[in-house]
Amino acid sequence: MKHFFRSLSLRFLFVSLICFTIFSCTDHVNPPEEPDEDETVYVGGSLESKLYAFNAATGTKKWEFLAGDLIFSSPTVASGIVYIGSADGRLYAVDAVTGIKKWEFIAGYNILSCPTVTNGLVYFGSDKLYALDALTGVKKWEFDQSIYKTWFNPTVSNDIVYAIDYRKLYALNAKTGGKIWEFTSVEGFAPNPTVVNGVVYVGGDKLYALDAQTGIKKWEFMIGTFFQDRNFIGNPTVANGIVYVTTPFNLYALDALTGTKKWELGRDVGRSSSPIVANGIVYSGNGSKLYAVDALTGAEKWKFTAGDFVKDPTIGNGVVYVSSEDRKLYAIDAITGAKKWESITGDKLYSSPCVVTKKGVVYHPGLSGDQQ
């Protein structure tokens, strides 16, 4: 009898342990992670001299900040601060939630470039290439070996800053500003380079692929037909081993390793915006139209027509945001091309949008050095 009760007790204990283990594991199962959502879109109201913040879901304006002159620069966001340049020669740092200015830095000339923030430093071009402390605006270094004084959008990768001053591409030490190498194109370059897998891609009359450490040319591909094309050539974008670049006449897809053309898509003659790629689709503007095409074949999926020239698009979570010279900022469904909303500003927009999600992820336009 004692053996029976002892056996029964052991069975009860064993079952209790199993139940405890099952319910304990069940109680500690983490809930599924909620999908991220776009929260705020920032864009410069160019001819109004304003920086805007819009609700990404509705297009409702959250706040506006008035700069001292026109804004052709596009904003970037890092650690809760929006950075944008102005034709008044100032780089502004603005609180991303309130729109209140934190600091400003006075450069020697107007600022057309899109700033880049990496490792606590903000880089931008004006009369010189500058590196500032991102929190305080204190200057860390400046680079001034240029004769053209037309610094464009810098790109930072592996502690090297790549920046274009019209006919020269410079590679600089990101911490000190010391020159590592330079590469020259007689015809000049498009505004900013793209760096992927140790290769710098930069456009002009040709698309060049350069070794990121040495500046040695790997290959080149002719994309311009005459000198003036350089002003309307988009910045290259790289995705899944393919380089995409636009001209007023074509959208090209090239093999990133060899420069061999995979396909090209003829376009209407007009200003071209830089392409950007997401989920197997290439988005780019040409004139007043925004196109979505298959990344592998170039087949058109949809096109959206604005009231005037469109700028460089930015894609967030299933939504493409694009500004236009028709004074409007558009939010467009990335799959269907259907307009979700539009917000009108007081004058033409030359700035491209930057998008921040609820979880703090930042999406930049194709012209930005941060797009990758």
Side-chain angles (χ1 to χ4, degrees):
M1 183 65 69
K2 289 181 179 180
H3 177 73
F4 171 76
F5 281 111
R6 184 165 56 186
S7 177
L8 185 63
S9 299
L10 288 173
R11 290 177 184 177
F12 176 76
L13 179 61
F14 180 70
V15 172
S16 299
L17 286 172
I18 292 175
C19 292
F20 176 77
T21 302
I22 292 173
F23 285 107
S24 295
C25 291
T26 302
D27 289 343
H28 289 85
V29 171
N30 293 324
E33 187 176 359
E34 293 184 2
D36 202 2
E37 296 178 358
D38 300 339
E39 186 171 48
T40 308
V41 186
Y42 302 92
V43 68
S46 305
L47 301 187
E48 295 182 284
S49 307
K50 292 179 179 179
L51 170 64
Y52 287 104
F54 293 99
N55 183 298
T58 65
T60 304
K61 186 176 70 176
K62 292 187 172 184
W63 53 257
E64 62 182 52
F65 169 81
L66 183 63
D69 207 336
L70 308 181
I71 294 179
F72 296 98
S73 170
S74 295
T76 191
V77 182
S79 301
I81 302 175
V82 188
Y83 303 89
I84 195 165
S86 170
D88 64 2
R90 289 172 165 83
L91 182 76
Y92 294 96
V94 180
D95 187 282
V97 176
T98 65
I100 296 173
K101 184 178 71 176
K102 287 181 167 290
W103 54 259
E104 64 180 54
F105 176 85
I106 302 176
Y109 194 56
N110 59 29
I111 302 172
L112 306 178
S113 75
C114 179
T116 296
V117 182
T118 303
N119 295 327
L121 296 180
V122 53
Y123 305 88
F124 70 97
S126 177
D127 59 321
K128 306 171 186 177
L129 185 67
Y130 293 92
L132 314 179
D133 184 286
L135 290 180
T136 64
V138 174
K139 184 175 69 176
K140 293 292 187 179
W141 56 259
E142 62 183 46
F143 180 78
D144 185 23
Q145 292 187 13
S146 164
I147 61 175
Y148 301 109
K149 308 297 183 184
T150 53
W151 288 99
F152 294 126
N153 311 326
T155 298
V156 184
S157 178
N158 294 322
D159 291 326
I160 299 178
V161 184
Y162 302 90
I164 290 169
D165 178 38
Y166 191 42
R167 289 192 171 120
K168 287 184 179 290
L169 167 64
Y170 292 94
L172 311 175
N173 183 296
K175 296 179 181 178
T176 66
K179 185 173 72 173
I180 300 172
W181 54 260
E182 66 180 66
F183 181 84
T184 302
S185 169
V186 175
E187 293 79 10
F189 293 110
N192 84 276
T194 296
V195 185
V196 177
N197 296 328
V199 181
V200 183
Y201 301 91
V202 61
D205 65 317
K206 301 173 183 177
L207 180 67
Y208 295 97
L210 312 175
D211 185 281
Q213 295 295 320
T214 65
I216 296 173
K217 183 174 67 177
K218 290 177 171 287
W219 55 258
E220 63 181 48
F221 180 85
M222 178 64 74
I223 55 175
T225 56
F226 54 94
F227 175 74
Q228 286 80 4
D229 276 5
R230 184 193 63 80
N231 297 313
F232 302 110
I233 289 174
N235 303 302
T237 293
V238 184
N240 300 317
I242 301 176
V243 188
Y244 303 91
V245 65
T246 56
T247 75
F249 307 99
N250 298 87
L251 168 62
Y252 290 100
L254 310 176
D255 185 284
L257 292 178
T258 65
T260 303
K261 184 175 69 176
K262 288 182 170 290
W263 54 260
E264 68 177 273
L265 180 65
R267 299 148 66 94
D268 298 331
V269 178
R271 300 180 196 172
S272 292
S273 67
S274 303
I276 199 159
V277 184
N279 300 318
I281 301 176
V282 185
Y283 304 91
S284 69
N286 182 250
S288 62
K289 295 180 175 64
L290 177 67
Y291 291 90
V293 303
D294 187 278
L296 293 179
T297 66
E300 183 179 305
K301 290 183 173 291
W302 54 258
K303 65 182 175 183
F304 174 85
T305 303
D308 207 333
F309 292 115
V310 296
K311 304 306 172 184
D312 297 77
T314 301
I315 182 151
N317 289 281
V319 181
V320 184
Y321 303 90
V322 66
S323 53
S324 171
E325 291 183 30
D326 65 3
R327 304 189 299 163
K328 295 177 181 178
L329 175 67
Y330 295 94
I332 303 163
D333 187 282
I335 301 299
T336 66
K339 183 176 68 177
K340 299 177 79 70
W341 54 258
E342 64 180 49
S343 289
I344 190 166
T345 63
D347 214 321
K348 292 185 176 184
L349 297 177
Y350 294 94
S351 174
S352 295
C354 179
V355 181
V356 180
T357 73
K358 291 183 177 180
K359 294 183 180 181
V361 179
V362 182
Y363 295 102
H364 297 89
L367 66 84
S368 168
D370 292 321
Q371 61 154 315
Q372 300 297 335

